[in-house]
């Protein structure tokens, strides 16, 4: 199974257009310890030469420009055949609009996430005669190309723009899901948003060859400390990496081949090569993804040569 990280940053990307927090400032100033990153998405080769996007980010067009394997192969022919959505956040659905030029596509989502698309007429630009919306149930595996896909609920919340006064955070109702992908006897689990690492999440990832997990914030109140906001990670539906219940240690004792952080917010100091926080996650056996990271599940690490924006490439 082949997977490419198209975008490793959280919503806003890195650096974020309106931000000079300490970490964004390094990126704006061209500090070689940081690499710019686009917004949250991965692509998996679900069949021979057929690729599925897991989330469609606002940066999808530039991600396609940077990734030869998902570029057009013929006259109005694309290797991108399917899109799987893990929530209705802007950073995960906005890129659907980039895919509007009448290529056949299937979009897979839970009932809740599908209803977000249905309620927003702009997504009607994906013409129904070529783009099929497939509503899938939690815990019921289905096939995309030669892969077996299964959605499972993870603690989360509704998208920011649908929050109401009776917001429930940490609900496992299908507003936020993880995805289990199996192909050729290998298994990758993708969880870009997760409010709590509970027993259900641990059971889901047990035995996975690769786990791609929510790396939004290092400290729960990091945004407040950086002076850029008052919300905690948990309030945004994202368990922090450090501290009590933090994701960094939450998977200790669970058998996982490779643990890789994705959906990393621009305030998160793990974005800085050599920072104490970066070293701490690496010592705990985590990798920090970057755009273009290609993983052949079951094989070694490979960073795509395409990216020369920073100087920390392996
Ligand atoms: C999140 O992951 O918390 C969202 O993407 C926030 C947002 O909508 O910008
Ligand atoms: Mn997000
Ligand atoms: Zn910032």
């Amino acid at each position: 199974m082949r997977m490419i990280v198209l975008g490793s940053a959280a919503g806003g990307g890195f650096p974020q257009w309106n931000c000079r927090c300490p970490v964004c400032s390094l990126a704006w100033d061209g500090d070689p310890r940081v690499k710019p990153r686009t917004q949250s998405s991965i692509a998996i080769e679900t069949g021979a030469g057929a690729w599925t996007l897991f989330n469609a980010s606002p940066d999808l067009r530039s991600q396609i420009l940077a990734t030869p394997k998902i570029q057009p192969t013929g006259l109005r022919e694309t290797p991108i055949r399917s899109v799987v959505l893990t929530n209705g956040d802007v950073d995960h659905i906005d890129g659907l609009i980039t895919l509007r030029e009448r290529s056949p596509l299937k979009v897979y989502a839970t009932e809740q996430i599908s209803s977000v698309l249905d309620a927003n007429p702009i997504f009607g630009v994906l013409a129904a005669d070529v783009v099929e919306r497939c509503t899938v149930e939690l815990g019921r595996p289905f096939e995309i190309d030669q892969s077996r896909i299964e959605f499972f609920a993870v603690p989360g919340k509704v998208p920011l723009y649908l929050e109401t006064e009776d917001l429930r955070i940490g609900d496992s109702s299908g507003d936020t899901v993880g995805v289990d992908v199996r192909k050729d006897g290998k298994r990758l689990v993708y969880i870009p948003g997760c409010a709590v690492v509970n027993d259900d999440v641990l059971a889901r990832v047990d035995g996975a060859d690769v786990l791609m997990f929510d790396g939004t914030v290092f400290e729960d109140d990091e945004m407040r400390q950086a002076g850029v906001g008052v919300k905690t990670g948990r309030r945004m539906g994202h368990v922090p990496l450090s501290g009590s219940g933090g994701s960094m240690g939450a998977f200790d004792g669970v058998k996982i081949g490779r643990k890789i952080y994705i959906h990393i917010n621009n305030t998160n100091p793990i974005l800085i090569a050599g920072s104490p926080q970066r070293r701490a996650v690496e010592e705990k056996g985590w990798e920090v993804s970057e755009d273009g990271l290609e993983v052949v599940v079951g094989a070694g690490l490979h960073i795509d040569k395409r990216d020369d924006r920073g100087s920390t490439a392996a």
Side-chain angles (χ1 to χ4, degrees), residues 9-12 40 87 89-92 192-193 216 238 263:
S40 178
N87 64 18
D89 283 354
V90 174
D91 57 347
H92 286 163
T216 308
H238 299 292
H263 190 280

Side-chain angles (χ1 to χ4, degrees), residues 1 16-17 21 25 27 62 82 100 109 115 123 143 146 154 170 182 211 261 266-267 275 304-305:
M1 189 197 315
Q16 181 171 305
W17 70 282
C21 72
S25 287
S62 65
S82 310
R100 66 189 175 281
S115 70
F123 293 105
E143 276 178 19
Q146 279 78 58
V154 297
R182 297 175 197 223
L211 168 64
Y261 280 124
N266 58 76
T267 50
S275 68
D304 218 322
K305 290 274 191 299

Side-chain angles (χ1 to χ4, degrees), residues 30-50:
D31 190 300
R33 290 171 297 167
V34 298
K35 282 188 163 191
R37 284 165 162 86
T38 63
Q39 293 167 84
S40 178
S41 173
I42 64 173
I44 293 178
E45 190 178 24
T46 41

